[in-house]
Amino acid sequence: MRIPEKFRELKKRNEGALIAYICAGDPTAEGTKEYVTALVRGGADIIELGLPFSDPVADGPTIQAGIERALAAGMTPDIYFKMVRSLKVHIPLVVMTYYNLIFKRGLERFVVDCSASGISGIIVPDLPAEESGELAGLCEKNDIDLIFLVAPTTTESRMKQILTRGTGFIYLVARLGVTGARSDIAGSTSELIQRVKTNTPKAVGFGISNGRQAAEIISAGADGVIVGSAFVDIIASGNDVPRRLEALARELKYGIKMAPE
Amino acid sequence: MKQEQRSTKFGKYGGQFVPEVLMPVLEELTEEYEKYKDDPVFNEELDYYLRDFAGRPSPLYYAKQLSREYGVKIYLKREDLVHGGAHKLNNTLGQALLTRYMGKKRIIAETGAGQHGTACAMAGAAFGITTEVYMGAKDTVRQRMNVYRMELMGTKVIPVKSGSQTLKDAINEAMRNWVANVETTHYLIGSVVGPHPYPTMVRDFQSVIGKEVRKQIMEKEGRFPDSIVACTGGGSNAMGIFHPFIDDDVDLFAVEAGGSGMKTTDKEALHSATLCAGEDGVLHGARTKVLQNKYGQILESSSIAAGLDYAGVGPELAYLADIGRIKPRYSLDAEALEAFHDLCRLEGIIPALESSHAVAYVKKAAGSGELGDVVVINISGRGDKDLETVLGMNK
Ligand SMILES: Cc1ncc(COP(=O)(O)O)c(C=O)c1O
């Protein structure tokens, strides 16, 4: 399923999106398949599947640890695409990875592999708009959305450039910093939501871990909420993982649905 | 051959591959650097610190005994005599001063062996700027004395326990901290690596080395050397001595760490010879040559010299190697160690193990005629920090 279609469907129901991140191969490829299913059961609307890179500079300790577990267990881009192809889910899948893995595989081959394995979008946290021309062209040709991040520090001139290039959704970084669950939501978040003027859906990530926060974000005007570290924390515990992933997804989705306008 | 001022690239290398949060701060840093780099007041102050605090100019010394032994006329550029014992201070003074001019209150940095961290601690203390240094947890153990040196000068050393717990992980962690504190903090990168403007800025601050050599060699030889040889980790001492000669008829040799041999597995390289054996990739904000596996995962590198032990290299060096302007070479651990002893014994100079790689290459290549008649070797640092390693190797 394509990402815009998903957001259109949600919009009809007047509902925000839950976008769930987990790292593929953490702790095994088989585990990931089971966890994806659990997240979908809990109500996730889009799944971001991390393709692990050895030097994840945009990630905090929780996701770094997940990436290390996945790499230690042998996850590679080849295994990743094979695993994704075997997933039987009917929601959009997005690959999140660092630019060197795409660069090394060859931009075209990477995008074609995404398309062939049923991936609808690509997020590259270390690829700013300035360097993204070639990848953006290939994504357009292959009907893949290239999703860009905007941050509280993004200037107006860069914002314009990003908003013209980004498709699928715009990933709003809720705070200065790396990924990781936190208990407070920065006041700058709603300011950022107001600043991003576009018809492309806006999803907010970095630091969201519970239903109350998810509700706040949606009330502040976002179209979706991205949650990663809170799920990866559950995976790290190794304890009753599928059930707890499903429960957290359900809590988050409930918060999103109940968010006061 | 000179790069266009405004470009973020060296040919296809360089650029800015960083999280969005950092793009505005890189823009700001580029502007501020452009503003101050030719500013007379800034440069006067920097010159003052380079002279009275760092002890510049460093001598160019004719190494008579070594020349006789190796069979080529050798001059040593004595960066080992710079305050702190390495060339690193040239860059940290420049960037710390820039930090002050930019009105930022805090410096963060990465360090491998602790040389750059120490130079940051010195500059931070001299300018009264809060300084925090990220260092791989493994390195904090291997280089205890440098941790203590930094702490003595008021710098907080933060051990990094992620990944391989070495230099590249320290860079990752410094970048993460920077992302969270961009408004108050300057990230003081220690080599000609990272996103634009760092490779250019660090090169410019280190170019004082080559500028001095131009004058000194004219006084002593009445002509330029046939070749200049420098060890290359990230490449800052090499670019510093090469850059002022880039348009001259002087051969430039970048000597990398061959470690225990030029072999790699899926996870690690037995060496750190990125220009010699790396492939195009994107690491720490720049497109450059990188030691990586077939999927693009970064390899753990290896070298007897901690300061050369890095899986990337400055993008400008990758470019200059591609166009044939510099010649990438390597020396093995054992060769560097032998050269280390040569210089100690013959000249009474204890060089850093990093610099010993450059000396070792001269030893190897002198007979072939490749280096010409007059060679300048950049002795990028002194070897006191390495005595424990050398003792261990000699056993
Ligand atoms: C003495 C010395 N030489 C060389 C290096 C390598 O760095 P670069 O290649 O940036 O000069 C280091 C790094 O720590 C060093 O301490």
Side-chain angles (χ1 to χ4, degrees):
Chain A
M1 189 184 207
R2 290 291 311 272
I3 296 165
E5 200 183 324
K6 178 48 117 182
F7 275 100
R8 273 197 300 275
E9 176 195 302
L10 288 166
K11 186 147 198 163
K12 266 191 218 144
R13 300 206 300 264
N14 199 21
E15 207 178 294
L18 171 61
I19 302 169
Y21 167 96
I22 59 173
C23 177
D26 169 23
T28 61
E30 281 310 304
T32 300
K33 285 201 220 170
E34 195 187 347
Y35 300 163
V36 166
T37 316
L39 290 168
V40 173
R41 265 200 315 270
D45 299 298
I46 295 173
I47 304 248
E48 251 181 56
L49 262 184
L51 168 60
F53 175 54
S54 54
D55 293 75
V57 290
D59 284 299
T62 304
I63 292 180
Q64 282 174 51
I67 287 172
E68 279 178 32
R69 288 190 295 272
L71 288 174
M75 181 49 72
T76 68
D78 291 342
I79 299 173
Y80 179 93
F81 286 118
K82 209 179 291 169
M83 182 204 70
V84 171
R85 199 170 300 147
S86 74
L87 287 172
K88 292 184 182 54
V89 293
H90 303 288
I91 60 170
L93 296 171
V94 172
V95 57
M96 171 142 176
T97 196
Y98 288 82
Y99 192 55
N100 198 47
L101 295 194
I102 300 175
F103 182 81
K104 191 73 172 77
R105 195 168 189 84
L107 270 51
E108 176 143 31
R109 180 169 168 220
F110 189 91
V111 173
V112 167
D113 282 343
C114 283
S115 172
S117 57
I119 283 173
S120 337
I122 302 179
I123 302 177
V124 196
D126 62 344
L127 184 70
E130 282 83 347
E131 308 281 0
S132 68
E134 196 184 347
L135 187 62
L138 288 162
C139 283
E140 194 176 344
K141 207 171 100 192
N142 289 279
D143 275 339
I144 301 263
D145 287 310
L146 187 56
I147 295 151
F148 284 93
L149 292 85
V150 300
T153 50
T154 303
T155 55
E156 285 313 311
S157 63
R158 305 205 64 256
M159 183 79 81
K160 272 201 201 105
Q161 191 183 359
I162 294 167
L163 295 183
T164 20
R165 185 151 282 178
T167 62
F169 60 88
I170 305 293
Y171 192 140
L172 280 61
V173 176
R175 62 176 68 242
L176 301 184
V178 291
T179 56
R182 290 172 186 85
S183 54
D184 62 313
I185 291 296
S188 57
T189 305
S190 53
E191 208 181 297
L192 182 59
I193 296 173
Q194 299 315 314
R195 269 185 63 210
V196 180
K197 294 190 175 52
T198 172
N199 293 324
T200 312
K202 302 176 229 181
V204 175
F206 282 41
I208 300 158
S209 60
N210 61 45
R212 183 183 50 77
Q213 292 171 328
E216 274 175 41
I217 296 283
I218 296 296
S219 290
D223 304 295
V225 168
I226 305 165
V227 177
S229 295
F231 289 120
V232 177
D233 267 331
I234 293 176
I235 294 173
S237 76
N239 173 21
D240 198 11
V241 176
R243 195 195 56 78
R244 289 172 61 213
L245 289 177
E246 184 181 335
L248 178 59
R250 186 158 288 127
E251 177 198 327
L252 289 160
K253 188 68 203 194
Y254 184 78
I256 290 169
K257 281 186 187 163
M258 293 299 132
E261 302 251 329
Chain B
M1 188 154 309
K2 289 260 160 63
Q3 289 296 310
E4 202 194 306
Q5 285 295 326
R6 288 266 148 207
S7 170
T8 67
K9 302 246 162 97
F10 306 97
K12 64 183 178 180
Y13 299 106
Q16 296 176 315
F17 296 85
V18 296
E20 173 56 30
V21 179
L22 293 181
M23 290 302 287
V25 78
L26 291 177
E27 222 168 275
E28 177 197 329
L29 180 60
T30 307
E31 277 169 23
E32 298 275 335
Y33 175 62
E34 293 288 332
K35 185 164 92 194
Y36 290 117
K37 77 179 175 112
D38 299 317
D39 179 76
V41 178
F42 178 86
N43 281 294
E44 206 174 295
E45 195 167 359
L46 180 57
D47 287 346
Y48 164 76
Y49 279 97
L50 287 172
R51 186 180 64 237
D52 287 8
F53 184 69
R56 302 208 71 91
S58 69
L60 184 71
Y61 179 66
Y62 170 45
K64 202 162 26 168
Q65 286 81 241
L66 195 73
S67 298
R68 192 178 319 126
E69 177 99 354
Y70 288 3
V72 62
K73 191 163 191 184
I74 298 170
Y75 284 90
L76 305 176
K77 180 59 175 167
R78 299 290 310 276
E79 292 300 295
D80 58 312
L81 293 177
V82 174
H83 180 42
H87 68 292
K88 296 284 175 187
L89 191 66
N90 305 329
N91 170 45
T92 61
L93 284 176
Q95 284 196 55
L97 190 62
L98 185 63
T99 305
R100 208 175 72 191
Y101 275 70
M102 290 191 299
K104 298 217 166 174
K105 303 269 176 279
R106 176 173 172 261
I107 285 171
I108 54 169
E110 81 293 342
T111 197
Q115 290 304 106
H116 172 58
T118 301
C120 281
M122 287 170 171
F127 293 135
I129 303 173
T130 306
T131 305
E132 291 174 30
V133 170
Y134 290 85
M135 189 169 183
K138 268 191 205 160
D139 291 331
T140 60
V141 177
R142 288 196 286 204
Q143 304 286 341
R144 257 182 38 236
M145 282 303 155
N146 268 339
V147 174
Y148 187 53
R149 284 213 286 177
M150 287 184 261
E151 287 172 350
L152 281 173
M153 291 180 278
T155 286
K156 187 169 157 202
V157 179
I158 302 156
V160 175
K161 300 204 173 74
S162 57
S164 57
Q165 309 193 3
T166 58
L167 177 62
K168 82 179 169 69
D169 310 284
I171 297 179
N172 294 341
E173 207 50 39
M175 285 180 83
R176 291 180 187 117
N177 184 283
W178 195 29
V179 164
N181 299 287
V182 278
E183 280 146 355
T184 57
T185 299
H186 175 64
Y187 177 20
L188 207 169
I189 296 185
S191 192
V192 287
V193 301
H196 177 76
Y198 285 100
T200 305
M201 180 172 68
V202 176
R203 176 201 71 199
D204 290 350
F205 285 137
Q206 289 293 0
S207 288
V208 66
I209 305 173
K211 285 181 196 154
E212 288 174 4
V213 171
R214 279 179 81 90
K215 274 202 227 129
Q216 292 166 323
I217 195 77
M218 286 312 274
E219 284 163 16
K220 289 173 202 294
E221 284 288 317
R223 67 167 179 106
F224 285 162
D226 296 311
S227 53
I228 299 175
V229 183
C231 69
T232 301
S236 68
N237 86 86
M239 281 315 302
I241 197 166
F242 292 168
H243 184 66
F245 289 96
I246 212 85
D247 293 325
D248 298 304
D249 185 19
V250 176
D251 286 340
L252 308 172
F253 292 86
V255 184
E256 302 189 300
S260 54
M262 295 297 286
K263 293 196 194 69
T264 57
T265 68
D266 212 33
K267 289 218 164 54
E268 56 181 10
L270 298 183
H271 58 85
S272 310
T274 315
L275 291 170
C276 292
E279 293 164 354
D280 279 21
V282 172
L283 177 64
H284 294 144
R287 176 166 173 186
T288 184
K289 296 280 183 199
V290 178
L291 297 177
Q292 54 187 326
N293 73 10
K294 68 172 173 174
Y295 294 116
Q297 308 292 3
I298 309 305
L299 301 179
E300 281 182 36
S301 55
S302 161
S303 168
I304 190 180
L308 302 182
D309 195 348
Y310 180 55
V313 66
E316 188 171 15
L317 288 129
Y319 167 72
L320 293 171
D322 270 11
I323 64 168
R325 180 62 191 95
I326 64 168
K327 298 178 164 60
R329 299 287 189 267
Y330 66 85
S331 299
L332 300 172
D333 283 350
E335 295 168 334
L337 198 64
E338 197 179 290
F340 169 90
H341 284 293
D342 289 347
L343 201 54
C344 292
R345 188 170 41 83
L346 293 167
E347 297 291 348
I349 295 171
I350 303 176
L353 282 174
E354 289 81 6
S355 326
S356 301
H357 284 71
V359 180
Y361 188 72
V362 171
K363 183 174 194 174
K364 206 159 38 176
S368 74
E370 182 188 41
L371 303 173
D373 301 324
V374 178
V375 185
V376 173
I377 306 177
N378 199 11
I379 302 299
S380 54
R382 67 171 184 234
D384 305 54
K385 68 183 177 60
D386 297 317
L387 297 187
E388 243 174 298
T389 309
V390 173
L391 263 173
M393 294 291 287
N394 287 350
K395 273 192 195 134

